[in-house]
């Protein structure tokens, strides 16, 4: 059938299972938007307030659904506005396909109106990108793009389509298949099996790769088989239910002390789908001094990159763990289990339950939502408090910016996650700093009537940076105490959302009891103390010896 | 320990590929000492030879990172003992009119040949291992180098491993 390039794009998106695309129209994507208009019964388009929000929405959608998210932007500024969103997806290995329009082929390379070399700009932050200069390549490029984004270590792919290619006409068959690569053989696990058999105090460190590989059950089974405690990277936080006894919670700079202390005493670490980020390890030498490390990852370049001497097992985490489980007998070390459970108990010491603290707010809110609720966060102190205190029970219920640490991620991600979950009630924890960066997406949430509950931790400061200034810069609060007069409740109302201010736990409880949102966003402006800090904390480059508890 | 290492690559012959590969070295902070690229028997596929400096950790990382690039079909480390490495030099040297004995004898020693006689200079070329080229250039310095141009090393494995055959990647099955 003869079709325009724009029509072929839409047909291909649908053929690759896309139900919702996020984006923002413009001159160089008019044809794509025209094709979307004509196919509105088969594919939904959600317009954001800014392209960055659309990119984060596609990212949040992909994380929740476990399939590739799609974002569309026009050329020039539309394309450059995607950059942070693409980098965010790249650092966290999230599969998205970003489609940008560009000027017509004869105008390319001439600094035409709204022309940028977006392929050049995004090169270091994508798995791959394409410029489609000839419509005959379009179908195969889109097929390849979806394949690249969702295979191996997942990540973003960008397709730049000049306007003339969108308008050209070509025979469309819709039959392209990605090239079949020879299946990789089974990974050699013999050295890993030997190491596990010889260890006494095993410890599992599990990251986002375990979720990407859908290896959650195998991680749990391995922990039970070996009586091994599990610590989670932030990206892996939902891989294991919080209620599982041997789940010690997040490790790293602001991780649970139990996770850090147990790690320092383990003689074997089985790392699954992690990349040993500096935020997770602290001082790498001290981190691996006492233990053998087995590193399982699908990306060979991660093996030996940050932690150098280890047993490398490259491949699909699910298959490798299955193979390990087949080869490993049950192991018991009651003393080790008792030790780590003691550490865990110490982590749970409760302070005053009546105070309006971030921890108590999170715990109270959690009680009104079920285990399937999607929780998005922004970046900063509030993010760490959520990681520490929100008990996640199911995979893919947390949308948070890990590697890039993108303030402003939350609003877009919450929108994408909410739509991906069938527009169920969705939570966003944010701070006044982060929220200020992309709060324009409130407009999107309102027009889409998304049931978002936005918990705004409002301390009038850039809390995390301020915390570092307090601890490491002799309390010189340079540009972190915000002298803003923003009335967030009035602001939310101006966007058409509901909002109120809450200053105590009973007030918060009363609001939540009166009903969580179902017909649009509700923003709760929670006034918290500026001097509240995130503890425990391991200072950058530190180790278990440097944990600060207050 | 830092030493020179050579990577051989099979890549798609497409615009922007060189950029992606150079970009990867740049982004990770690895220096490229030399880079040579040319088409293979299939014009859709090129072969590159890239020489860098670094320890074992860096060379392993470089090869693994390169293999992740979509346009890189295969990248391998070509170890010194199992590969040959050859470079081409073009050099313009000052002449001083006294028969140029020093230059011609140096060229004879190294197996180079003269391509052009100018009024005050000669143009010569020389092919050989990069180390030999380096040594030759050093000896030309006192004679007066006007300009020179090196191709960058080309490397090929001498054994049966690390063969960069294009047959698994080529569409031209003929």
């Amino acid at each position: 059938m003869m079709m325009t390039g724009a029509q072929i794009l839409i047909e291909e998106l649908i053929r690759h299972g896309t139900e919702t695309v996020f984006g923002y129209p413009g001159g160089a994507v008019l044809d794509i938007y025209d094709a979307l208009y004509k196919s509105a019964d088969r594919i939904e388009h959600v317009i954001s307030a800014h392209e960055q929000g659309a990119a984060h929405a596609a990212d949040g959608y992909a994380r929740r659904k476990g399939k590739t998210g799609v974002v569309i932007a026009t050329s020039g500024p539309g394309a450059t506005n995607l950059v942070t969103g693409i980098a965010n997806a790249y650092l966290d290995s999230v599969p998205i396909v970003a489609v940008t329009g560009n000027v017509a082929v004869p105008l390319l390379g001439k600094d035409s109106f709204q022309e940028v070399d977006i392929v050049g700009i995004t090169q270091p932050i994508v798995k791959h990108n394409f410029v489609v200069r000839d419509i005959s390549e379009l179908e195969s490029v889109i097929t390849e793009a979806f394949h690249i984004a969702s295979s191996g270590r997942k990540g973003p792919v960008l397709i730049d389509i000049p306007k003339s290619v969108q308008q050209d006409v070509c025979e469309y068959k819709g039959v392209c298949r990605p090239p079949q690569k020879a299946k990789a053989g089974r990974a050699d696990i013999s050295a890993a099996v030997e190491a596990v058999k010889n260890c006494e105090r095993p410890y599992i460190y599990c990251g986002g790769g375990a979720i990407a590989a859908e290896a959650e059950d195998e991680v749990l089974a391995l922990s039970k088989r070996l009586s091994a405690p599990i610590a989670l990277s932030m990206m892996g936080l939902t891989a294991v239910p919080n209620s599982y006894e041997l789940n010690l919670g997040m490790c790293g700079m602001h991780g649970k002390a139990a996770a850090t202390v147990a790690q320092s005493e383990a003689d074997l670490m089985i790392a699954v789908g992690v990349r040993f980020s500096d935020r997770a390890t602290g001082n790498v030498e001290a981190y691996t001094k006492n233990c053998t490390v087995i590193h399982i990852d699908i990306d060979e370049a991660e093996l030996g990159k940050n932690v150098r001497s280890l047993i490398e097992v490259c491949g699909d985490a699910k298959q490798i763990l299955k193979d390990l489980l087949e080869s490993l007998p049950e192991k018991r070390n009651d003393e080790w289990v008792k030790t780590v459970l003691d550490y865990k108990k110490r982590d749970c010491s409760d302070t005053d339950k009546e105070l309006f603290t971030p921890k108590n707010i999170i715990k109270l809110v959690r009680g009104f939502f079920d285990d399937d609720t999607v929780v998005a966060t922004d970046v900063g102190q509030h993010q760490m408090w959520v990681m520490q205190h929100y008990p996640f029970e199911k995979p893919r219920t947390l949308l948070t910016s890990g590697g890039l640490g993108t303030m402003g991620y939350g609003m877009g991600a919450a929108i994408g996650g909410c739509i991906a979950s069938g527009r169920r009630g969705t939570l966003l924890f944010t701070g006044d700093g982060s929220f200020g960066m992309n709060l324009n997406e409130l407009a999107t949430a309102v027009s889409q009537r998304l049931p978002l509950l936005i918990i705004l931790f409002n301390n009038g400061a850039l809390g995390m940076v301020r915390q570092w200034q307090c601890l490491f810069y002799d309390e010189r609060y340079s540009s972190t105490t915000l002298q803003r007069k923003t009335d967030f409740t009035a602001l939310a109302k101006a966007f058409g959302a509901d909002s109120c201010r809450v200053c105590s736990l009973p007030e918060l409880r009363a609001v939540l009891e009166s009903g969580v949102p179902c017909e649009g966003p509700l923003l709760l402006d929670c006034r918290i103390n500026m001097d509240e800090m995130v503890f425990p904390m391991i200072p950058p480059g530190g180790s278990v010896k440097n944990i600060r508890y207050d | 320990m830092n030493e020179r290492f050579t990577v051989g690559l099979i890549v798609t012959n497409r615009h922007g590929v060189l950029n992606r590969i150079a970009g990867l070295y740049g982004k990770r902070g690895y220096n490229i000492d030399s880079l040579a690229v040319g088409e293979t028997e299939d014009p859709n596929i090129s072969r590159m030879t890239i020489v860098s400096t670094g320890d074992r950790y860096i060379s392993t990382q470089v090869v693994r990172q390169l293999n992740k690039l979509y346009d890189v079909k295969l990248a391998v480390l070509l170890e010194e003992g199992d590969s040959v490495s050859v470079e081409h030099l073009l050099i313009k040297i000052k002449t001083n009119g006294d028969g140029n004995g020093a230059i011609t004898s140096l060229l004879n020693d190294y197996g180079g040949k003269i391509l052009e006689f100018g009024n005050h200079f000669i143009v010569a070329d020389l092919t050989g291992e990069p180390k030999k080229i380096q040594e030759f250039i050093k000896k030309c310095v006192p004679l007066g180098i006007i300009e020179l141009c090196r191709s960058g090393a080309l490397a090929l494995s001498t054994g049966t491993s690390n063969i960069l055959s294009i047959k698994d990647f080529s569409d031209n099955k003929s």
Side-chain angles (χ1 to χ4, degrees):
Chain A
M1 193 178 169
M2 299 303 280
M3 283 191 188
T4 65
Q7 286 171 319
I8 292 173
L9 170 68
I10 302 307
E11 288 306 320
E12 279 294 291
L13 293 181
I14 294 169
R15 190 166 75 87
H16 287 94
T18 310
E19 292 157 17
T20 306
V21 295
F22 301 88
Y24 202 100
V29 286
L30 270 164
D31 292 275
I32 293 173
Y33 274 80
D34 194 49
L36 273 171
Y37 184 87
K38 291 172 185 159
S39 302
D41 55 332
R42 295 191 296 146
I43 186 165
E44 172 193 32
H45 176 264
V46 175
I47 179 177
S48 63
H50 182 285
E51 287 88 350
Q52 186 186 348
H56 292 324
D59 170 312
Y61 183 91
R63 288 186 207 227
R64 175 70 188 114
K65 276 236 168 180
K67 63 187 220 182
T68 305
V70 178
V71 59
I72 299 173
T74 192
S75 64
T80 56
N81 280 347
L82 293 179
V83 170
T84 302
I86 294 171
N88 189 77
Y90 183 70
L91 267 290
D92 288 348
S93 308
V94 179
I96 64 170
V97 168
V99 177
T100 49
N102 211 332
V103 297
V105 170
L107 293 173
L108 279 175
K110 300 192 173 116
D111 303 320
S112 309
F113 176 65
Q114 290 195 330
E115 184 198 358
V116 292
D117 172 19
I118 194 63
V119 163
I121 289 171
T122 56
Q123 193 178 285
I125 51 164
V126 291
K127 276 189 82 179
H128 191 63
N129 53 22
F130 300 89
V131 193
V132 184
R133 284 168 180 267
D134 190 317
I135 189 170
S136 66
E137 302 165 1
L138 185 59
E139 186 183 331
S140 66
V141 162
I142 297 166
T143 301
E144 273 293 271
F146 273 90
H147 175 67
I148 296 167
S150 62
S151 58
R153 179 176 179 176
K154 301 170 183 14
V157 178
L158 181 133
I159 312 172
D160 195 32
I161 311 177
K163 184 162 179 160
S164 55
V165 175
Q166 297 168 31
Q167 293 170 334
D168 287 346
V169 174
C170 171
E171 174 74 17
Y172 172 67
K173 297 196 184 77
V175 293
C176 257
R177 294 275 174 273
Q180 291 298 311
K181 290 227 174 91
K183 251 196 154 172
R186 289 279 176 92
D188 181 6
I189 56 163
S190 52
V193 169
E194 207 50 38
V196 176
K197 282 184 178 161
N198 293 331
C199 79
E200 284 179 8
R201 297 176 308 280
Y203 172 97
I204 297 171
Y205 172 32
C206 172
I211 298 170
E214 298 177 356
E216 297 93 347
D217 292 347
E218 287 75 14
V219 170
L220 201 60
L222 187 69
S223 163
K224 288 177 179 167
R225 178 77 57 85
L226 304 178
S227 313
I230 305 177
L232 302 157
S233 76
M234 190 166 77
M235 300 312 302
L237 198 56
T238 63
V240 178
N242 182 270
S243 54
Y244 173 56
E245 190 184 29
L246 289 178
N247 179 354
L248 304 182
M250 187 174 78
C251 61
M253 182 175 279
H254 290 296
K256 300 276 184 168
T260 306
V261 177
Q263 191 277 329
S264 72
E265 292 175 6
D267 64 348
L268 176 78
M269 168 160 39
I270 306 170
V272 186
V274 297
R275 59 185 176 84
F276 294 108
S277 140
D278 55 289
R279 281 292 189 274
T281 63
N283 181 315
V284 179
E285 276 78 46
Y287 183 71
T288 50
K289 207 171 68 186
N290 299 323
C291 68
T292 306
V293 180
I294 299 169
H295 191 183
I296 300 167
D297 205 280
I298 200 160
D299 180 356
E300 196 189 18
E302 286 303 337
L303 305 175
K305 188 181 84 178
N306 292 342
V307 170
R308 295 203 186 180
S309 66
L310 36 69
I311 298 167
E312 300 181 352
V313 191
C314 184
D316 175 61
K318 192 179 182 78
Q319 189 56 53
I320 290 166
L321 291 177
K322 274 187 175 165
D323 291 350
L324 274 176
L325 284 163
E326 264 176 36
S327 321
L328 291 172
E330 184 141 333
K331 219 176 165 83
R332 282 183 64 117
N333 182 342
D334 293 340
E335 200 186 329
W336 174 233
V337 169
K338 189 182 167 300
T339 306
V340 297
L341 290 181
D342 279 348
Y343 293 150
K344 191 175 168 179
K345 223 174 278 163
R346 265 189 258 164
D347 267 353
C348 297
S349 63
D350 262 321
T351 47
D352 198 331
K353 285 184 174 159
E354 302 305 314
L355 289 177
F356 196 57
T357 59
K359 178 179 176 179
N360 289 338
I361 294 170
I362 291 166
K363 298 246 174 225
L364 179 59
V365 170
R366 176 66 169 100
F368 287 83
F369 289 86
D370 63 19
D371 294 346
D372 290 309
T373 303
V374 175
V375 178
T377 80
D378 263 301
V379 166
Q381 284 185 314
H382 72 271
Q383 180 189 27
M384 293 302 118
W385 287 320
V386 171
M387 303 310 135
Q388 291 176 339
H389 305 305
Y390 193 100
F392 290 96
E393 289 295 320
K394 292 199 173 172
R396 301 190 174 281
T397 49
L398 169 64
L399 315 176
T400 196
S401 170
L404 195 67
T406 313
M407 288 174 71
Y409 170 75
M411 263 313 290
I415 288 166
C418 181
I419 291 172
S421 66
R423 298 174 184 253
R424 290 179 96 246
T426 296
L427 274 167
L428 167 63
F429 290 96
T430 185
D432 51 321
S434 283
F435 187 65
M437 288 207 175
N438 276 331
L439 58 81
N440 48 6
E441 297 304 339
L442 264 179
T444 313
V446 168
S447 58
Q448 290 286 326
R449 298 166 47 153
L450 298 179
L452 295 187
L453 177 61
I454 302 167
I455 306 292
L456 176 73
F457 286 115
N458 186 355
N459 60 0
L462 302 178
M464 185 58 93
V465 182
R466 193 172 187 280
Q467 174 168 342
W468 282 51
Q469 288 170 336
C470 174
L471 299 175
F472 311 124
Y473 291 83
D474 297 329
E475 300 181 42
R476 289 186 297 278
Y477 298 124
S478 176
S479 298
T480 51
T481 312
L482 304 172
Q483 306 291 346
R484 294 174 183 165
K485 303 280 179 234
T486 313
D487 179 343
F488 285 102
T489 56
L491 180 107
K493 284 174 185 165
F495 274 103
D498 272 345
S499 183
C500 62
R501 179 174 303 163
V502 282
C503 300
S504 71
L505 290 178
E507 267 179 52
L508 178 60
R509 185 176 291 109
V511 172
L512 293 170
E513 275 169 356
S514 72
V516 288
C518 52
E519 279 284 298
L522 167 63
L523 183 142
L524 301 183
D525 180 8
C526 301
R527 296 300 177 98
I528 61 161
N529 188 337
M530 184 183 281
D531 294 320
E532 195 78 53
M533 289 211 246
V534 184
F535 289 114
M537 177 178 196
I538 304 172
S543 72
V544 63
K545 290 183 185 141
N546 315 107
I547 301 182
R548 291 183 67 148
Y549 293 90
D550 53 41
Chain B
M1 195 184 70
N2 274 358
E3 50 189 31
R4 288 263 166 113
F5 65 90
T6 305
V7 180
L9 305 95
I10 294 285
V11 304
T12 8
N13 184 10
R14 211 186 340 230
H15 63 92
V17 174
L18 181 62
N19 209 357
R20 289 175 201 276
I21 289 167
L24 188 146
Y25 277 78
K27 158 174 148 177
R28 303 268 171 200
Y30 311 136
N31 188 45
I32 294 178
D33 297 328
S34 84
L35 186 154
V37 55
E39 273 182 15
T40 62
E41 61 269 38
D42 177 349
N44 296 313
I45 294 179
S46 297
R47 173 156 175 157
M48 279 188 192
T49 307
I50 305 178
V51 180
S52 318
T53 308
D55 57 12
R56 205 60 179 160
Y57 165 74
I58 290 179
S59 61
T60 306
Q61 265 294 304
V62 165
V63 171
R64 288 180 175 183
Q65 295 287 357
L66 283 170
N67 274 312
K68 283 166 66 174
L69 291 181
Y70 176 74
D71 284 322
V72 172
K73 300 300 175 193
L74 186 62
V76 297
L77 191 63
L78 294 167
E79 308 270 5
E80 210 165 308
D82 310 321
S83 61
V84 281
S85 189
V86 168
E87 192 172 355
H88 195 172
L89 168 76
L90 294 176
I91 189 163
K92 193 183 286 172
I93 311 170
K94 275 187 203 157
T95 52
N96 47 23
D98 61 354
N100 302 311
I103 297 175
T104 39
S105 84
L106 191 60
L107 279 168
N108 285 338
D109 287 353
Y110 279 84
K113 60 177 189 284
I114 295 173
L115 300 180
E116 285 278 340
F117 280 103
N119 277 341
H120 307 290
F121 63 86
I122 57 136
V123 175
D125 82 339
L126 173 67
T127 304
E129 276 182 52
K131 268 184 204 151
K132 178 177 140 189
I133 303 272
Q134 192 66 41
E135 208 179 273
F136 176 80
I137 292 171
K138 231 181 215 169
K139 290 187 177 165
C140 288
V141 171
L143 301 174
I145 297 171
I146 299 169
E147 61 172 329
L148 66 76
C149 180
R150 296 174 71 165
S151 67
L154 302 176
L156 207 67
S157 82
T158 48
T160 47
S161 63
N162 285 338
I163 291 179
L164 287 167
S165 160
I166 65 159
K167 69 174 191 302
D168 296 335
F169 313 110
S170 176
D171 294 330
N172 290 0
K173 298 282 184 206
S174 57

